[in-house]
C-alpha cells in the first residue's frame, strides 16, 4: 500500500494556507480559570495543554471526548482518557485533570464539560479551548453559542501547516479535515449550533477549489 503523503503539494499550497490562516483565531495565551482540551486524533492537544499548565496559565484542565471512527484504534480507552494519561506523563498532577468521556461532537464537548465543572464545584468565568489548529474558529463559535457567559480564548500547538502535516504524517487527512472544519463554520451557524463568523470571499474560493480537488472526506453531506 502506498504510504500517505507527508508534505503539501505545491499546486494547492496557497489554498491550504488560506484556510489554515482563516481558521486560526490568533489569540495569545492568557490566564484563565480552566482549559478545555477537545478530543481528536491529535495528541498535540494534550501536549500543549500540559505545556501551558506548567507555565501557569490555568490550574485545571478538562479533557473531553469519547471516540470517533478515526480515533478508536489509536485511543481505545477514549480520547479524553488518553489525553489525560499523556498530560500526566508530561508532569501535570493527576488532581489537576478532569475527564469527560461521553462527548461525541463539539457542542457536547462544551455542554458536558460545563456540567462536569459545575458538578465538581468549579466556578468558571474564563476558559481556553485547546484543540487542533484548524478547529479553533468553529470551536470558538460553538462555545460562544453554547456558553455565552464565559470568556473564551483558543489555543493550539504553535506550528505551521507544513509542520502540522509532517507531524500528523498524512496530508490528505489534514487537508480533508481543514476543508471539513471550514464548511462547519458556515453550517453550524446556519443550524443554530454556533454564532456566525464572517467568511471572506478568498476563503470561500479556496474552499471551493479544494473541494473540487477531491478533499471531501470530512464534508457534511447535503450541504
Amino acid at each position: 500500500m502506498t504510504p500517505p503523503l507527508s508534505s503539501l503539494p505545491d499546486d494547492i499550497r496557497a489554498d491550504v494556507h488560506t484556510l489554515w490562516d482563516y481558521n486560526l483565531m490568533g489569540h495569545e495565551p492568557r490566564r484563565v480559570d480552566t482549559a478545555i482540551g477537545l478530543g481528536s486524533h491529535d495528541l498535540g492537544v494534550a501536549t500543549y495543554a500540559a505545556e501551558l499548565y506548567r507555565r501557569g496559565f490555568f490550574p485545571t484542565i478538562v479533557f473531553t471526548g469519547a471516540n470517533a471512527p478515526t480515533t478508536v484504534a489509536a485511543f481505545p480507552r477514549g480520547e479524553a482518557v488518553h489525553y489525560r494519561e499523556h498530560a500526566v506523563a508530561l508532569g501535570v498532577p493527576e488532581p489537576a485533570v478532569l475527564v469527560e468521556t461521553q462527548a461525541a461532537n463539539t457542542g457536547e464537548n462544551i455542554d458536558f464539560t460545563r456540567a462536569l465543572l459545575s458538578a465538581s464545584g468549579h466556578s468558571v468565568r474564563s476558559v481556553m479551548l485547546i484543540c487542533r489548529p484548524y478547529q479553533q474558529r468553529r470551536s470558538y463559535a460553538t462555545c460562544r453559542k453554547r456558553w455565552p457567559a464565559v470568556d473564551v480564548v483558543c489555543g493550539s500547538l504553535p506550528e505551521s501547516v507544513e509542520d502540522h502535516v509532517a507531524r500528523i504524517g498524512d496530508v490528505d487527512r489534514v487537508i480533508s479535515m481543514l476543508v471539513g472544519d471550514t464548511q462547519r463554520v458556515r453550517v453550524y451557524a446556519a443550524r443554530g449550533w454556533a454564532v456566525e463568523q464572517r467568511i471572506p470571499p478568498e476563503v470561500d474560493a479556496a474552499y471551493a477549489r479544494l473541494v473540487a480537488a477531491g478533499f471531501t472526506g470530512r464534508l457534511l453531506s447535503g450541504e
Side-chain angles (χ1 to χ4, degrees), residues 57-174:
F57 281 99
F58 36 76
T60 306
I61 306 169
V62 180
F63 290 124
T64 168
N67 266 130
T70 56
T71 64
V72 68
F75 304 140
R77 295 184 302 282
E79 297 160 2
V81 173
H82 283 266
Y83 275 21
R84 180 182 187 273
E85 292 170 352
H86 185 65
V88 169
L90 292 174
V92 179
E94 291 189 15
V97 186
L98 302 176
V99 292
E100 184 291 303
T101 62
Q102 301 302 310
N105 57 59
T106 308
E108 290 183 353
N109 289 140
I110 301 303
D111 293 346
F112 296 173
T113 295
R114 182 180 182 182
L116 174 61
L117 287 165
S118 178
S120 302
H122 290 80
S123 177
V124 177
R125 293 178 296 178
S126 58
V127 301
M128 182 184 299
L129 299 179
I130 301 179
C131 58
R132 295 164 293 176
Y134 52 79
Q135 192 183 359
Q136 285 190 17
R137 186 170 292 277
R138 82 168 161 94
S139 299
Y140 173 83
T142 302
C143 188
R144 295 296 301 128
K145 182 72 173 186
R146 308 295 280 255
W147 198 355
V150 79
D151 184 22
V152 58
V153 63
C154 293
S156 304
L157 272 175
E159 59 187 352
S160 68
V161 62
E162 286 84 2
D163 287 344
H164 183 78
V165 168
R167 181 169 62 82
I168 298 301
D170 186 339
V171 68
D172 184 81
R173 181 180 198 176
V174 171

Side-chain angles (χ1 to χ4, degrees), residues 165-205:
V165 168
R167 181 169 62 82
I168 298 301
D170 186 339
V171 68
D172 184 81
R173 181 180 198 176
V174 171
I175 298 175
S176 293
M177 289 193 164
L178 173 61
V179 169
D181 267 71
T182 304
Q183 180 202 41
R184 283 161 174 77
V185 171
R186 185 192 309 279
V187 171
Y188 281 17
R191 293 183 180 181
W193 300 343
V195 299
E196 186 174 353
Q197 300 281 288
R198 179 179 178 270
I199 303 178
E202 62 270 23
V203 172
D204 262 339

Side-chain angles (χ1 to χ4, degrees), residues 7 20 34 44 50 52 59 69 159 172 188:
S7 60
W20 180 268
T34 192
L52 294 185
E159 59 187 352
D172 184 81
Y188 281 17

Side-chain angles (χ1 to χ4, degrees), residues 31-46:
R31 293 182 184 275
V32 294
D33 294 326
T34 192
I36 302 173
L38 302 181
S40 70
H41 65 274
D42 186 359
L43 204 58
V45 172

